Amino acid sequence: MASRQNLRVLTIDDSRTMQGMLRKALEEAGCDVIQGADGVDGLDVLRGADPPPNVVITDINMPRMDGFEVIETIRTMNQFKHLPIIVLTTESDPEKKARARTAGATGWIVKPFSSESLVAAIRRVTA
């Protein structure tokens, strides 16, 4: 596992406010942050990332491609089929959580989030 100091995190969220909050929390935790503005953009960023991220954090409700499709697409990419994916969403519906797990999500965090809970979730899925 990469240490927290050199973890690279891809965040995918269409909210600029949320992108800023994630960047601040993760950079303060010593992570390198790359970001996608929605599902389509996030997958483009993932494909071009060098080095690739150690974990992806994605929202569910986004334009052009939702988080479920993002997770399913990542799981079809051989080089990323084991990449940890954390869903960060306002959704708390157990059916949506189960759908994300079935699609291949590794973890689930409900917004609003604390920096501590976010970092703890990243530690759990990258251990």
Side-chain angles (χ1 to χ4, degrees):
M1 171 185 107
S3 72
R4 205 169 40 137
Q5 287 296 325
N6 59 9
L7 278 177
R8 191 160 212 226
V9 182
L10 168 59
T11 68
I12 304 172
D13 198 305
D14 61 312
S15 164
R16 287 185 180 197
T17 301
M18 185 55 61
Q19 286 182 11
M21 292 172 63
L22 286 166
R23 177 175 293 281
K24 182 177 188 298
L26 293 169
E27 287 182 346
E28 286 178 356
C31 298
D32 177 29
V33 180
I34 53 177
Q35 298 186 299
D38 59 38
V40 173
D41 185 52
L43 289 175
D44 287 344
V45 171
L46 178 62
R47 288 183 186 103
D50 184 24
N54 303 97
V55 62
V56 172
I57 299 172
T58 184
D59 189 12
I60 289 294
N61 300 312
M62 297 181 286
R64 300 203 302 160
M65 177 184 281
D66 68 27
F68 299 117
E69 292 176 270
V70 169
I71 297 166
E72 291 166 353
T73 301
I74 291 172
R75 292 301 179 228
T76 66
M77 303 162 77
N78 279 340
Q79 70 273 36
F80 298 120
K81 65 183 178 184
H82 299 296
L83 181 65
I85 303 171
I86 298 171
V87 174
L88 179 63
T89 181
T90 56
E91 298 285 347
S92 58
D93 181 346
E95 289 182 21
K96 289 189 176 182
K97 188 173 182 178
R99 181 177 172 201
R101 190 177 311 118
T102 299
T106 316
W108 183 278
I109 300 173
V110 176
K111 297 175 187 173
F113 67 94
S114 69
S115 297
E116 294 79 16
S117 66
L118 181 65
V119 172
I122 291 171
R123 284 186 187 162
R124 273 193 307 275
V125 301
T126 58

